[in-house]
Amino acid sequence: MASMHHTSCVLRSFNIAFFGTDHFAIPSLRRLVQKSKENKELISELTVITPPDATSGRGNKILKPAPIKLEAIGLGLAVHHPPPKKFGAWELPPSISNRPYDLAIAVSFGYFIPKRILAGFPYGGVNVHPSLLPKYRGAAPLLHTLWNGDSTTGVTVQELSVQSFDAGRILNQCETPVSPTEDYLTLHNRLSEKGAQMLVDTLERWDYFQANGWEQDPTKVSHSPKLDRTCSFVNWESDSPELIMRRYLSLGWRYPVSSYFRGSAIQLFGLSIVENQKPPKCPGTLSFDTDNKAILVSLADSRHLLRATHVKMANKSKLAILDFINGYQLSDSSDKLTTEN
């Protein structure tokens, strides 16, 4: 359902607590800061709530702040941290002005904000979610959109539910097509900007969206759990060309498409599907495409081949295909990628 453009009088000035963590939240925060400078009668103040700095390295001595924290500091905003994972008895610190908060906004926060915290906001809370809810509730809607080859997706601005993640009343929703070649990072950036625009639109016409919101249909709920590294491995005997490319477009930015070669894990880059002009070979068989400086992998669907322009063996540097062929002394059509080690 596309947003409808009605006007409504703004009779309030929001003091906002913005709950966010990763890069998806950054355009929303930037747009809110921009709008607060343009119109103090809409947004009077912004405070950012984000998880504590993550630790890594030997002895957990390396601190890695969340992307939204770095952005907030750069924008000159106050930043507060609840305890890791759960809020416990944590209370929201006062805003710099000491004026009570009005509204909670959560964008890619990752924590469930408890009822006792939300109760402190007269206007409750809203969330920007990159799917057409109730489809793809949960942590990874963008991944599942691409993994499933969906031709459309969208962004939803919903109320924060005190019962469960992504179950709130829908205030604003907009559909958008997905290109067959669109990858995760492109879709992520596009929908994060779209969500930021819709969020400000929702605040500017708050009364309209509150009056016209609707409950989610429980019969149409689906979920989008996180996908891990194991999902990146190809089964050459059964995976279709479409599934391999969906895996590449959805997960390749984080977990490159993977297989096994001579007993070690191998990652494949620069992937495309091409027509097979030659007699079929056993799935996983490697042949050379020297014109394009690529290797071709035979598939279960013998009408097609998977082309890769770079590879990376476990614990090695990424290699261009000609370096791979020479370094591992490959001969055309005699080596295979295998489904299992």
Side-chain angles (χ1 to χ4, degrees):
M1 183 178 294
S3 308
M4 295 181 65
H5 291 276
H6 291 239
T7 57
S8 66
C9 266
V10 174
L11 303 173
R12 65 193 61 78
S13 179
F14 291 114
N15 182 3
I16 293 170
F18 184 92
F19 296 76
T21 302
D22 66 20
H23 290 95
F24 188 86
I26 289 175
S28 287
L29 184 62
R30 286 178 180 167
R31 192 68 70 99
L32 291 171
V33 168
Q34 178 187 344
K35 185 54 66 174
S36 72
K37 290 175 179 176
E38 294 170 1
N39 185 0
K40 282 288 183 188
E41 292 182 358
L42 180 66
I43 299 172
S44 63
E45 194 172 355
L46 273 163
T47 304
V48 173
I49 317 299
T50 192
D53 297 352
T55 57
S56 63
R58 183 174 292 178
N60 285 329
K61 291 179 180 176
I62 300 172
L63 294 177
K64 186 179 180 183
I68 202 70
K69 178 180 179 178
L70 297 176
E71 184 69 24
I73 291 170
L75 292 168
L77 301 176
V79 177
H80 300 294
H81 302 294
K85 304 300 179 190
K86 291 190 176 180
F87 281 78
W90 182 81
E91 296 290 344
L92 187 62
S95 66
I96 289 174
S97 69
N98 219 29
R99 188 190 138 205
Y101 294 100
D102 302 303
L103 178 69
I105 294 177
V107 185
S108 202
F109 182 50
Y111 288 27
F112 185 75
I113 303 173
K115 184 176 181 178
R116 67 172 186 81
I117 298 286
L118 284 178
F121 297 93
Y123 294 103
V126 297
N127 163 253
V128 177
H129 186 81
S131 81
L132 296 172
L133 288 172
K135 188 175 187 178
Y136 297 148
R137 290 181 180 178
L142 296 172
L143 288 180
H144 285 262
T145 296
L146 295 171
W147 182 275
N148 293 324
D150 293 354
S151 60
T152 59
T153 185
V155 178
T156 302
V157 179
Q158 60 167 332
E159 292 179 343
L160 285 172
S161 166
V162 295
Q163 264 81 43
S164 59
F165 275 114
D166 303 325
R169 203 168 63 104
I170 294 171
L171 300 178
N172 193 355
Q173 191 170 76
C174 191
E175 188 173 304
T176 184
V178 181
S179 157
T181 58
E182 195 158 18
D183 64 10
Y184 178 89
L185 293 176
T186 306
L187 185 63
H188 171 283
N189 294 344
R190 188 160 68 86
L191 294 193
S192 65
E193 293 289 349
K194 180 65 178 174
Q197 173 191 332
M198 290 170 61
L199 175 62
V200 170
D201 184 31
T202 303
L203 297 185
E204 288 183 317
R205 299 186 292 133
W206 181 262
D207 294 333
Y208 168 76
F209 286 112
Q210 283 289 326
N212 291 276
W214 67 96
E215 300 291 341
Q216 296 185 32
D217 183 345
T219 67
K220 294 182 178 177
V221 170
S222 62
H223 296 275
S224 61
K226 289 180 180 179
L227 301 176
D228 63 19
R229 192 182 306 276
T230 60
C231 298
S232 68
F233 282 82
V234 177
N235 185 326
W236 300 109
E237 286 73 29
S238 63
D239 286 357
S240 67
E242 293 80 13
L243 176 58
I244 294 169
M245 287 307 295
R246 289 176 193 172
R247 181 182 275 119
Y248 175 58
L249 294 172
S250 60
L251 277 179
W253 65 285
R254 186 169 187 185
Y255 303 124
V257 171
S258 300
S259 185
Y260 293 99
F261 175 71
R262 296 181 183 173
S264 296
I266 185 172
Q267 296 175 334
L268 309 176
F269 300 88
L271 303 188
S272 56
I273 298 293
V274 297
E275 285 189 22
N276 184 15
Q277 309 287 355
K278 297 180 179 179
K281 298 184 179 77
C282 185
T285 300
L286 295 175
S287 54
F288 301 164
D289 178 7
T290 49
D291 290 345
N292 293 294
K293 298 179 180 177
I295 53 168
L296 301 171
V297 189
S298 298
L299 302 177
D301 176 351
S302 61
R303 298 168 300 174
H304 297 94
L305 299 163
L306 178 69
R307 177 190 283 157
T309 62
H310 292 76
V311 300
K312 183 183 180 303
M313 297 296 293
N315 305 314
K316 303 285 186 182
S317 299
K318 187 191 285 190
L319 293 173
I321 289 304
L322 294 181
D323 294 330
F324 175 60
I325 290 171
N326 294 328
Y328 286 84
Q329 298 183 331
L330 271 65
S331 54
D332 200 0
S333 303
S334 66
D335 278 290
K336 278 185 67 178
L337 299 184
T338 57
T339 298
E340 295 180 355
N341 191 350

